[in-house]
Amino acid sequence: MTTRILTGITTTGTPHLGNYAGAIRPAVDASRAANVDSFYFLADYHALIKCDDPLRIQRSRLEIAATWLACGLDPERVTFYRQSDIPEIPELTWLLTCVAGKGLLNRAHAYKASVDKNLAAGEDADAGVTMGLFSYPVLMAADILMFNAHKVPVGRDQIQHVEMARDIGQRFNHLFGNGRALFELPEAVIEESVATLPGLDGRKMSKSYDNTIPLFGTSKQLKDAVARIVTDSRLPGEPKDADSSHLFTLYQAFAGTAQSAAFRAELEEGLGWGEAKQRLTALLEAELGEAREHYHTLIARPDDLEDILLAGAAKARRIATPFLAELREAVGLRSFRGALQSAAAGKKKAAKGARLVSFRDEDGGFRFRLLDAEGQQLLLSEAFADGRSAGAASKRLQTGELDLRIEGVQLVAYLDDQPVARSAVLEEACAAEALIEAVSTALLPRD
Ligand code: TRP
């Protein structure tokens, strides 16, 4: 079975070396595995929640798209798109918003953190909190559920959001699935083995600490950043302790085992920090040089990037468009056309062709009959507790999910292994064949 893997990349900022080692490199590797169908997208609607500077949004989407492609993501193999090119996503967001509990969203970490900060500052709890921030997890649930992702690789801070997507999906299934799972329930995947890189000062590499090494800066920018890595004050010739040096940790994230061991030995033998930094720069050049060139070629051709992303969006929408149509149907946003037909069929006895007619029986049960063109009853349904279930069952019979069985003296129609409708008692066994034929024809999908 193929596993569907999906993850979003929020398009704020410019990717740095920590993003590369922690997210981009492992994701590109994973996308090459057999039996996976991967979806990677630029979460640019999410970016709008955090950023109201249009130029930064524009720049960051372009840079991040180019970065992922330059690092080897193959848009032929995976589905790579911008969230904002898929109008089905905001539409699904609304359907999910209508079932997501407000209480559930009140518990989201990001929202709670804002509230706590406000309260600590003596402000109103919701000061500066937008509905975008509050509903962030619902939009993310739509991203995930839209493509029925099984696995969602994320950082630890996002686990809660994936769990909320599960909760919301489950609730939707329960309300509208008629016993069927409309949505696959996703699972967060945390890559334990992936490197968390230290930044120049030894704390986690992060834009907010201003300690990053740019991923695709110029050679000079790379060299200058490496020169700023903080080391101890041991002089050349003095033995260095590799394990307490984050320069070594950085080196290790990009070198093979043997190469790392050799570097460690050199440090212990007294290699100077200046030299050590040159080794690290050379290593990073070797790992990233080619991708950097590719990156700059891509950035210089935004029209080509646009084409790649629009093709990705078209690919994604081949899944999203029909699936959303199914979901709209499930919640009752249905075309009037079919409804008019069945209303007319119910009123006019002489209507042509076979038809399904629903009614309530004496006990208040919801039932339907399948009548042939002459108005003869072919099948009578079981009693359903509500009109919606009865409607759903008759609809499914008409869409070809038909399982007819001859049981003793009756013809019985099944759905999901449950009997849903039966014929009158057959006078003679040979009548069964003719009846099966009549029922099957009567249930042929109509347009
Ligand atoms: N919120 C995620 C982050 O900040 C990005 C994201 C948006 C995402 N939609 C997603 C990740 C769907 C996984 C699946 O990292």
Side-chain angles (χ1 to χ4, degrees):
M1 201 193 95
T2 7
T3 306
R4 273 187 307 276
I5 302 184
L6 173 143
T7 200
I9 310 128
T10 307
T11 52
T12 41
T14 304
H16 54 67
L17 202 60
N19 302 132
Y20 173 75
I24 305 172
R25 185 173 59 179
V28 171
D29 287 346
S31 76
R32 294 185 174 137
N35 294 332
V36 298
D37 187 8
S38 348
F39 295 77
Y40 294 98
F41 67 95
L42 306 181
D44 48 4
Y45 280 140
H46 278 105
L48 293 181
I49 296 169
K50 299 178 193 162
C51 173
D52 58 9
D53 175 354
L55 283 176
R56 251 187 75 197
I57 295 280
Q58 179 197 11
R59 182 89 209 136
S60 171
R61 298 154 94 225
L62 187 71
E63 287 176 351
I64 293 180
T67 299
W68 280 72
L69 294 169
C71 291
L73 192 72
D74 176 1
E76 297 294 324
R77 185 176 172 89
V78 309
T79 308
F80 185 50
Y81 54 97
R82 287 175 295 211
Q83 183 187 33
S84 64
D85 284 334
I86 316 290
E88 288 81 4
I89 288 178
E91 189 168 348
L92 176 56
T93 301
W94 184 252
L95 301 189
L96 299 178
T97 300
C98 295
V99 304
K102 177 167 180 289
L104 178 77
L105 295 175
N106 284 341
R107 290 193 288 278
H109 300 318
Y111 169 67
K112 268 200 351 205
S114 298
V115 169
D116 291 348
K117 208 165 125 203
N118 280 333
L119 294 177
E123 301 254 19
D124 179 79
D126 283 327
V129 175
T130 63
M131 283 307 293
L133 175 67
F134 186 69
S135 308
Y136 185 109
V138 191
L139 176 58
M140 185 157 156
D143 292 332
I144 297 171
L145 299 173
M146 183 89 258
F147 298 100
N148 279 306
H150 301 109
K151 307 248 173 220
V152 183
V154 282
R156 294 197 172 282
D157 61 326
Q158 298 294 317
I159 299 178
Q160 189 198 30
H161 292 152
V162 180
E163 278 164 6
M164 288 183 164
R166 257 185 103 80
D167 283 356
I168 298 170
Q170 200 157 27
R171 190 163 158 76
F172 195 95
N173 282 347
H174 174 71
L175 289 170
F176 303 113
N178 275 308
R180 189 166 68 101
L182 289 162
F183 293 126
E184 198 72 52
L185 301 182
E187 241 174 76
V189 197
I190 307 295
E191 244 327 335
E192 299 290 353
S193 66
V194 156
T196 307
L197 290 194
L200 302 176
D201 57 359
R203 291 184 293 173
K204 180 184 169 191
M205 190 181 290
S206 158
K207 199 175 46 182
S208 38
Y209 295 148
D210 193 20
N211 65 356
T212 63
I213 298 178
L215 182 54
F216 292 138
T218 59
S219 291
K220 175 152 182 353
Q221 283 170 324
L222 178 63
K223 195 161 156 247
D224 291 350
V226 171
R228 284 170 52 218
I229 296 177
V230 178
T231 59
D232 65 27
S233 53
R234 274 174 234 194
L235 298 171
E238 285 186 69
K240 318 280 185 303
D241 174 21
D243 292 318
S244 67
S245 152
H246 52 274
L247 189 146
F248 181 72
T249 313
L250 282 165
Y251 190 92
Q252 228 178 356
F254 297 96
T257 326
Q259 208 178 2
S260 296
F263 189 53
R264 171 192 291 277
E266 281 193 294
L267 287 171
E268 284 165 0
E269 284 157 19
L271 184 75
W273 287 125
E275 288 269 325
K277 286 180 176 179
Q278 278 175 26
R279 304 273 158 95
L280 176 61
T281 310
L283 182 71
L284 293 175
E285 276 292 339
E287 165 109 6
L288 300 170
E290 203 179 311
R292 181 205 289 140
E293 259 180 50
H294 190 184
Y295 173 83
H296 288 289
T297 318
L298 288 165
I299 282 282
R301 310 182 65 142
D303 290 6
D304 292 355
L305 277 174
E306 183 72 22
D307 289 344
I308 293 174
L309 286 160
L310 288 180
K315 191 161 153 191
R317 293 190 72 197
R318 282 200 283 279
I319 300 173
T321 310
F323 188 40
L324 187 72
E326 201 181 316
L327 298 171
R328 287 177 57 105
E329 186 76 25
V331 300
L333 301 175
R334 298 173 187 155
S335 161
F336 284 167
R337 237 175 271 288
L340 260 185
Q341 260 178 16
S342 49
K347 261 187 256 139
K348 282 198 263 158
K349 273 223 145 181
K352 275 219 164 153
R355 58 195 195 268
L356 280 155
V357 179
S358 47
F359 67 100
R360 284 189 86 168
D361 64 21
E362 289 147 11
D363 301 318
F366 290 79
R367 294 185 189 251
F368 56 85
R369 301 180 210 280
L370 176 67
L371 306 178
D372 71 11
E374 279 75 51
Q376 288 289 323
Q377 178 173 308
L378 298 171
L379 294 176
L380 170 66
S381 80
E382 310 287 349
F384 290 83
D386 55 86
R388 193 202 291 157
S389 326
S394 71
K395 179 123 204 124
R396 284 176 65 195
L397 289 180
Q398 282 179 94
T399 46
E401 289 189 58
L402 189 56
D403 172 10
L404 289 174
R405 304 181 195 170
I406 301 167
E407 286 187 0
V409 290
Q410 261 185 332
L411 185 66
V412 186
Y414 279 79
L415 280 176
D416 303 327
D417 258 353
Q418 298 292 324
V420 291
R422 43 189 84 236
S423 71
V425 171
L426 300 168
E427 303 289 355
E428 46 199 294
C430 66
E433 288 306 324
L435 189 55
I436 289 178
E437 177 66 24
V439 169
S440 311
T441 329
L443 286 172
L444 279 180
R446 293 141 220 219
D447 42 33

